[in-house]
């Protein structure tokens, strides 16, 4: 019970950071990775509870690593073209 409460708190804190801190792209990407980590934690607890094999955790971990690498490559590309990672310095439209 305490572990699921800890996972819920992680998820809520990650969402609060994602909503409130949107000045830098790096902070947004880190909050998204924190949310993915909390979802991984929930999935691990659920699969341990139903005594299922952990193959799905490995698939989820692979996709989350690919998502993180894609986010970092976009961040590096934006810093090279615009000089910083502020959302206000480039037009998204």
């Amino acid at each position: 019970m305490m572990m699921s409460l800890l996972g819920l708190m992680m998820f809520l804190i990650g969402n609060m950071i994602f909503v409130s801190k949107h000045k830098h792209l790096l902070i947004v990407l880190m909050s998204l990775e924190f949310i993915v980590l909390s979802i991984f934690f929930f999935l691990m607890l659920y699969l341990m509870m139903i005594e299922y094999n952990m193959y799905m955790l490995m698939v989820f971990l692979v996709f989350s690593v690919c998502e993180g690498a894609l986010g970092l490559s976009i961040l590096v590309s934006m810093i090279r073209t615009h000089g910083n990672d502020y959302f206000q310095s480039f037009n998204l439209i």
Side-chain angles (χ1 to χ4, degrees), residues 13-32 75 78 84-90 92:
I13 289 171
N15 280 329
M16 283 187 341
I17 293 171
F18 180 72
V19 170
S20 64
K21 304 289 183 188
H22 53 273
K23 185 176 182 180
H24 292 279
L25 181 63
L26 182 62
I27 295 174
V28 171
L29 290 175
M30 287 178 65
S31 68
L32 285 175
L75 176 71
M78 287 180 161
N84 54 23
D85 66 336
Y86 292 125
F87 277 123
Q88 298 169 348
S89 66
F90 51 89
L92 295 176

Side-chain angles (χ1 to χ4, degrees), residues 28-74:
V28 171
L29 290 175
M30 287 178 65
S31 68
L32 285 175
E33 285 299 319
F34 193 69
I35 292 170
V36 167
L37 181 67
S38 69
I39 292 172
F40 177 77
F41 188 65
F42 272 131
L43 190 59
M44 182 186 68
L45 286 177
Y46 177 70
L47 290 177
M48 287 174 64
M49 185 178 68
I50 64 170
E51 297 177 0
Y52 195 68
N53 61 357
M54 300 294 169
Y55 179 73
M56 279 303 294
L57 281 178
M58 192 58 110
V59 172
F60 182 79
L61 196 61
V62 166
F63 282 116
S64 64
V65 166
C66 291
E67 177 257 337
L70 182 65
L72 284 177
S73 65
I74 290 172

Side-chain angles (χ1 to χ4, degrees), residues 75-86:
L75 176 71
V76 168
S77 173
M78 287 180 161
I79 289 175
R80 284 184 180 173
T81 58
H82 297 285
N84 54 23
D85 66 336
Y86 292 125

